[in-house]
Amino acid sequence: MLARMSTEISAKTLTFLRRGQAVTLHDVAPDRTLLEVLREDLHCTGTKEGCGEGDCGACTVVLGEAVNGQLEYKAINSCIRLAHSVDGLAVWTVEDLANDNGELHPAQEAMVQCHGSQCGFCTPGFVMSLFGMYQNTGGGQGIDRAQAQADLSGNLCRCTGYRPILDAAQQMGALPLPAGCGVNEAATVAALQALPQHPADSAYMRPTALAELLQQRAAHPQAQVVAGCTDVGLWVTKMHKRFDRVLDVTAVHELRQVEQYPHHIAIGAAVTLTDAYAALVEERPQLQTFAQRFAGLPVRNSGTLGGNVANGSPIGDSMPMLIALGASVVLMRWDAKRRSIAHRELRLEDLYTGYRTNVMRPDELLAWIKVPRPTAGESFKAYKISKRFDDDISAVCLAIRTTVKDDVVQDVSIGAGGVAATPARARQTEAALRGQTWSTATVKAGIAALRAEFQPISDMRASAAYRQTVLGNLLQRYWLESQGLQHINLENLNAATLEALA
Ligand SMILES: Cc1cc2nc3c(=O)[nH]c(=O)nc-3n(C[C@H](O)[C@H](O)[C@H](O)COP(=O)(O)OP(=O)(O)OC[C@H]3O[C@@H](n4cnc5c(N)ncnc54)[C@H](O)[C@@H]3O)c2cc1C
Ligand code: FES
Ligand code: FES
């Protein structure tokens, strides 16, 4: 739905960098998407609208940001990203890759040589995801099949088939880079630093400091809070919601950090899902597949862990995992009397009060997610059941953490998704397991408790009966894996293992 009118909603100026030049747009309403601005205002119609909801990747563009003097590249979905969020960043669309003589960038040339396009509608999106990979791998070096598949998981093609496109991902690094097709990183960083700063504005607020963010939250409690906009973007494109004021948390320096402490890591609410899951996988490598199954790369590059937690969807992936890990959340607000930041901390499961409702006050924001580090003897697994393996939302999610000593369950915590109105902790099941011998009989009792603990609903993703059955089956899988049967997990089947089997 590209032709939304910008009517009474107030507007402001935004500037971003394109092909090394500053592009300034005036009177852009706070709720216009980047795709709308690219296609309607800049007439860059190479970037396509397929689904308008972050699923197909046809609208993929690449953003560049100067971080500690280096350029960081991220492929994102422009259809659900608000235009003002790219103020101060570099933007590449499919029109920006070939040089002035029409010579193609290796990301494009590889698609041609590998016959990676038929109708072509998805092709600009694939090319931009390939360009993002090219820039992030020092010119497409060392990309194996598994990485190609993982990084292209947010792009759908309905006619070519994926083999030639995956071939292109692996071959682009061997192709010459024509003069004028490369990115001059030093010049781009310098140009980004020279972009004009626009005066603070109440239509689209994107502060860079935490205190300022919280003051704006207190002053404008009705403003729509956004982070990566991978949930909120759909309220705009699919539910046609309009926002006269937006408060964007993603530029706040403090909230973009991952901090390491002796007993926990603290993940700022504005850390992208890509970076947050990288930090979680570093602590617990067994989360690698689970992390890659959260949406596709462009969604993970925009979306934040804080957005996932604050949104509180009962079928969100992070919450069951974080609940099982014993995570807590830190909420912050501006205390005007003391002229300082006030905060409170609560267990994640206590954040939620009902379907997408939580205990946050109108002047509060989620600031940190604190995740305990692995402890000695801990075993932890997170399982996601969805209709598609890649880029799909969970029907059921179950995360289990146990500490078993001398064959006795000393400690257990279980988080579940897709089974109640909120992400939930399976306390009754925990009680059935805690202090018991870790045995078939105990697990059988645990399965019965788990199936009885929740009354899931039937919807388009799964029936209630399926959800209840699967819940128990996942605990059974956890038990079997704990006994050494790792290969019962189909998630171990990926591009690399399938190729090895062929
Ligand atoms: C194609 C697609 C696939 C997806 N796949 C998955 C999936 O596999 N698993 C899954 O769990 N989710 C999935 N999602 C949902 C979405 O990506 C996640 O919920 C994401 O983490 C939201 O983060 P965000 O930064 O984009 O939040 P936004 O959309 O910006 O915000 C979401 C909500 O959180 C609030 N909010 C954001 N930050 C804060 C803060 N700091 N304090 C208070 N409130 C805040 C906003 O006001 C809003 O209500 C998918 C979405 C799409 C479009
Ligand atoms: S148009 Fe489908 S992801 Fe944006
Ligand atoms: S080439 Fe037609 S959808 Fe991919």
Side-chain angles (χ1 to χ4, degrees), residues 53-55 80 224-235 249 255 269 273 293-296 299 302-311 315-319 360 364-367 384 391-394:
E53 58 184 56
D55 265 318
I80 49 172
Q224 176 60 50
V225 173
V226 301
C229 229
T230 60
D231 282 310
V232 175
L234 277 73
W235 307 350
V249 306
L255 300 187
L273 290 158
R293 291 191 59 200
F294 191 117
V299 167
S302 265
T304 62
L305 188 63
N308 201 219
V309 168
N311 193 49
I315 46 173
D317 285 342
S318 308
M319 290 70 87
M360 259 188 275
E364 261 179 338
L365 287 171
L366 172 60
K384 170 171 177 167
D391 202 7
D392 202 1
I393 308 274
S394 295

Side-chain angles (χ1 to χ4, degrees), residues 239-283:
M239 297 161 73
H240 309 302
K241 284 199 180 175
R242 305 295 318 260
F243 309 128
D244 351 276
R245 280 212 175 94
V246 172
L247 178 59
D248 181 335
V249 306
T250 55
V252 173
H253 176 72
E254 294 95 322
L255 300 187
R256 295 176 50 148
Q257 312 299 321
V258 177
E259 295 182 355
Q260 313 281 337
Y261 295 93
H263 300 294
H264 72 272
I265 60 169
I267 302 176
V271 174
T272 63
L273 290 158
T274 303
D275 294 343
Y277 272 91
L280 292 166
V281 168
E282 203 169 316
E283 298 274 302

Side-chain angles (χ1 to χ4, degrees), residues 462-473:
S463 68
Y466 176 81
R467 287 186 156 117
Q468 229 149 11
T469 306
V470 150
L471 263 184
N473 293 355

Side-chain angles (χ1 to χ4, degrees), residues 62 71-74 92 97 105 128-140 143 172 177 181-185:
V62 170
L71 256 194
E72 281 187 2
Y73 302 88
K74 287 198 164 89
W92 286 269
L97 304 194
H105 185 278
M128 293 317 292
S129 284
L130 291 175
F131 174 68
M133 288 172 78
Y134 188 90
Q135 293 304 122
N136 283 323
T137 52
I143 298 173
M172 65 181 171
L177 180 68
C181 283
V183 177
N184 182 334
E185 299 207 349

